[in-house]
């Protein structure tokens, strides 16, 4: 059976293996109230994100190290811990496991033991938003949803457009007016209708909310449907498996809506519940830009929630999120893990991006560069020690962002002084 006309044998092989699925119910992340699985949901009655729960005993029997060893290196290798029940609902573009790339020169320069980057830029649509949206769209397809809408800073919209188009679902997408040109273009080209809005992402979110109320759009805003977290969770599953069923000491995560941080934290709990890891957890560090740092402010004041950050600005557009519905989940994971929240200014982000590109040949995206800048700052402040194994997240390919112009030219009709190169 072929999943999609043009998917490769590699991905087909995994997806054609029918396996039982284990979702039992959903749960309000704030009140613990139980919700039925297999029906369309957005937020809970309390207005909080819903979390998917599984039959842990069943998963434990099916998702063993031995079973995993036989499976292809893609996101669907963890199907027992994912919500899609029927193979025919899976809308794949080839979600390969992303590599953990060492940065030995930068580590040596900082006298640090080990510095690894999980390079999420390799995913379809060039960012880790693919992990969340492949899950949300596959679930939407299973429910027969016809029209999805989303506010986006760029990458989420691109991933939604791509997967929804593949699934035959209509999409309407709203982004802040200064969203990078490449994102707006890729969204439109991949079959969605996209609008630039004179506001920030939460202003765009309000339009989606009204469209949901007035004309029944399905709202796929960050954490406002339950399945993007499940897709993002696979970052934690992959990371642990790649480290030989161990967790790193510390994870630096560029935090906007926090889906990935919350998802990984959930992944570690589920891996412990099924006996694949112990109780050790990495310290979770939420990295934000100094121009938009609501989580850092709430972390420092000891608050459970993070009020809106006014006049948000940063070159790292993926983390320009003034207010997050999952604020309390981000702060809880950071605090329970013994981690912290840290803000870095744009000039440090740009310097970190330049340094990694020049020294390691690794073109980070600005959000990924923010994690490297934060790591350096945390080492200098003694919040992280040199012998800790640190993992940074590079969440998108650096090629999606505006790059500095180069002016140097060569006049080939004149004599060339080869000794000058
Ligand atoms: C969306 C995004 C983030 C933030 O991810 P969350 O899990 O929503 O906090 C970081 N970097 C890039 C490149 C993004 O697109």
């Amino acid at each position: 059976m072929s999943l999609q006309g043009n998917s490769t044998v590699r991905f087909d092989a995994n997806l054609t293996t029918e396996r039982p699925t284990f979702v039992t119910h959903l749960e309000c992340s704030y009140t613990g109230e139980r919700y039925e699985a297999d029906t369309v949901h957005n937020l809970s009655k309390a207005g909080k994100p819903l979390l998917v729960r599984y039959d842990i005993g069943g998963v434990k029997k099916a998702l063993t190290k031995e079973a995993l060893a036989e499976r292809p290196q893609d996101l669907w290798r963890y199907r027992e811990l994912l919500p899609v029940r029927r193979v025919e609902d899976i809308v794949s573009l080839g979600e390969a496991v992303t590599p953990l790339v060492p940065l030995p020169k930068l580590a040596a320069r900082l006298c640090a033991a080990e510095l690894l980057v999980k390079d999420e830029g390799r995913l379809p649509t060039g960012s880790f938003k693919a992990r969340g949206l492949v899950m949300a769209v596959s679930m939407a397809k299973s429910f027969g949803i016809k029209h999805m809408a989303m506010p986006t800073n760029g990458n989420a919209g691109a991933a939604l457009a791509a997967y929804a188009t593949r699934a035959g679902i209509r999409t309407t997408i709203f982004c802040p007016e200064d969203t990078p040109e490449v994102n707006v273009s890729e969204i439109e080209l991949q079959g969605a209708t996209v609008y630039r809005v004179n506001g920030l992402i939460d202003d765009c979110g309000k339009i989606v909310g009204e469209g949901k109320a007035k004309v029944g759009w399905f709202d796929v805003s960050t954490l406002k449907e339950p399945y993007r977290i499940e897709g993002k969770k696979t970052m934690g599953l992959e990371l642990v498996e790649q480290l030989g069923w161990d967790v790193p000491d510390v994870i630096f995560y560029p935090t906007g809506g926090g889906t990935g941080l919350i998802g990984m934290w959930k992944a570690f709990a589920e891996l412990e519940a099924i006996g694949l890891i112990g109780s050790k957890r990495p310290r979770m560090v939420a990295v934000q830009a100094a121009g938009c740092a609501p989580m850092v402010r709430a972390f420092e004041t000891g608050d459970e929630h993070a009020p809106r950050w006014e006049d948000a600005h940063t070159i790292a557009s993926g983390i320009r999120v003034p207010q997050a519905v999952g604020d309390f989940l981000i702060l809880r994971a950071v605090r329970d893990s013994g981690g912290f929240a840290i803000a870095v200014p744009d000039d440090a982000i740009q310097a970190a991006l330049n340094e990694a590109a020049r020294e390691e040949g690794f073109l980070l995206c600005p959000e990924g560069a923010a994690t490297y800048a934060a790591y350096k700052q945390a080492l200098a402040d003694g919040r992280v020690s040199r012998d800790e194994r640190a993992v940074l997240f590079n969440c998108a390919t650096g090629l999606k962002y505006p790059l500095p112009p180069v002016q140097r030219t060569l006049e080939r009709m004149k004599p060339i002084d080869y000794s000058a190169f």
Side-chain angles (χ1 to χ4, degrees), residues 128-129 155 232 253-260 318-319 365 367 395-396 401:
F128 69 0
K129 291 296 194 301
N155 290 326
K232 281 287 213 53
Y253 186 80
T255 307
T259 328
I319 52 174
C365 63
E367 299 81 0
C395 303
Y401 297 76

Side-chain angles (χ1 to χ4, degrees), residues 126-129 153-156 222 228 232 235 253-262 316-319 321 330 365-368 393-397 401:
S127 88
F128 69 0
K129 291 296 194 301
N153 278 324
N155 290 326
T222 303
R228 284 175 64 183
K232 281 287 213 53
M235 289 190 288
Y253 186 80
T255 307
T259 328
L261 195 149
I262 297 164
S317 46
I319 52 174
V321 179
I330 298 168
C365 63
E367 299 81 0
F393 272 82
N394 185 51
C395 303
T397 166
Y401 297 76

Side-chain angles (χ1 to χ4, degrees), residues 110-132:
L110 297 165
C111 303
E114 196 171 12
L115 185 56
L116 300 167
V117 179
K118 185 126 173 88
D119 189 15
E120 298 283 296
R122 321 282 182 109
L123 284 159
T125 72
S127 88
F128 69 0
K129 291 296 194 301
R131 293 185 190 268

